[in-house]
Amino acid sequence: MNIRLFVIGLIAALAGLIGGIAFIPGAVDRIFATREPATTGRALVGGPFELTDHNGRRVTDKDFRGRLMLVYFGFTYCPDICPAGLQVVTAALEKLGIDTNRVVPIFITVDPERDTPEQMKQYVSSFHKTFVGLTGSKEDIAKAAKAYRVYYRKVQDESLSDYTMDHTSFLYLMDAGGQFITHFPHSISPDKLAERLAAAIEKMPAGS
Ligand code: NI
């Protein structure tokens, strides 16, 4: 085959593809505008939740208004991913020092069967002292996870005596009004996370 014709054909096909994507309303926005969707007025991630904290009190998302929420979904029996993620948050908050009261780290279980308030209390006490552990009924958790677009699934592992959970492991940063700012992988470095939190604190409205 004539290589030049092939290349021209390929370029034409790519141009057609890009043109086609651009033609779909909002497609370019969805592909390229991954940052700060809150400014569009559409909350893509996050929303109301009502759960039980690690002291057994019922709380809602509104109880955390005025502070940034750093939300992570996981479960206390998680062997490595969750503890690693919560450790990163702890290290980042320690770096932030005095600004810590402007951020509330929230750990929401996807395993309410085993993660009772008492279990959550014991677990979060191994991490930063400001951590809030949240659990609830299966329905409460399903609702919160749906709002945050979090996927989770119970998995029976033959090699384990008990079940484990598959789950999304992003950290979600929400502003003082409860709107989504951005998300981070659980593998982000504490330095980078502290830097991003400091930048978000800087942008908080005065008096909040
Ligand atoms: Ni986990």
Side-chain angles (χ1 to χ4, degrees):
M1 171 185 222
N2 184 323
I3 190 79
R4 223 159 116 193
L5 274 181
F6 175 75
V7 170
I8 289 167
L10 191 67
I11 290 168
L14 273 174
L17 182 68
I18 291 164
I21 290 170
F23 189 72
I24 301 166
V28 174
D29 284 352
R30 281 201 297 275
I31 294 166
F32 298 106
T34 55
R35 292 282 307 280
E36 301 184 51
T39 56
T40 66
R42 286 181 304 146
L44 300 175
V45 172
F49 59 74
E50 187 175 346
L51 296 160
T52 303
D53 76 8
H54 62 256
N55 291 313
R57 278 186 303 242
R58 287 298 275 181
V59 296
T60 76
D61 54 298
K62 291 194 176 69
D63 293 314
F64 304 106
R65 290 293 183 274
R67 284 179 287 170
L68 302 174
M69 294 192 294
L70 189 58
V71 182
Y72 184 83
F73 286 76
F75 66 115
T76 69
Y77 287 78
C78 182
D80 42 29
I81 306 287
C82 291
L86 301 198
Q87 196 48 56
V88 167
V89 172
T90 300
L93 292 178
E94 278 166 3
K95 254 171 208 303
L96 277 178
I98 58 158
D99 283 333
T100 297
N101 60 348
R102 314 209 68 185
V103 185
V104 56
I106 299 175
F107 179 58
I108 303 178
T109 185
V110 293
D111 184 16
E113 254 176 80
R114 290 182 295 195
D115 287 340
T116 59
E118 300 73 40
Q119 171 72 15
M120 294 296 277
K121 185 171 189 159
Q122 200 198 343
Y123 188 72
V124 296
S125 72
S126 323
F127 300 99
H128 198 272
K129 64 178 189 299
T130 58
F131 251 107
V132 175
L134 298 179
T135 185
S137 68
K138 277 186 180 179
E139 293 73 30
D140 291 341
I141 298 298
K143 223 176 139 190
K146 193 175 176 208
Y148 279 81
R149 313 276 171 113
V150 164
Y151 155 88
Y152 64 100
R153 191 170 67 97
K154 198 169 170 175
V155 182
Q156 207 69 51
D157 189 327
E158 297 297 314
S159 67
L160 297 170
S161 57
D162 212 343
Y163 68 89
T164 184
M165 303 293 295
D166 272 355
H167 65 92
T168 310
S169 59
F170 286 125
L171 289 159
Y172 301 95
L173 182 61
M174 315 300 287
D175 71 15
Q179 298 291 310
F180 177 73
I181 300 175
T182 189
H183 69 273
F184 311 107
H186 78 278
S187 55
I188 189 172
S189 76
D191 283 352
K192 187 81 196 162
L193 182 57
E195 202 177 284
R196 299 294 298 274
L197 291 176
I201 288 168
E202 193 93 337
K203 284 189 195 157
M204 287 174 83
S208 71

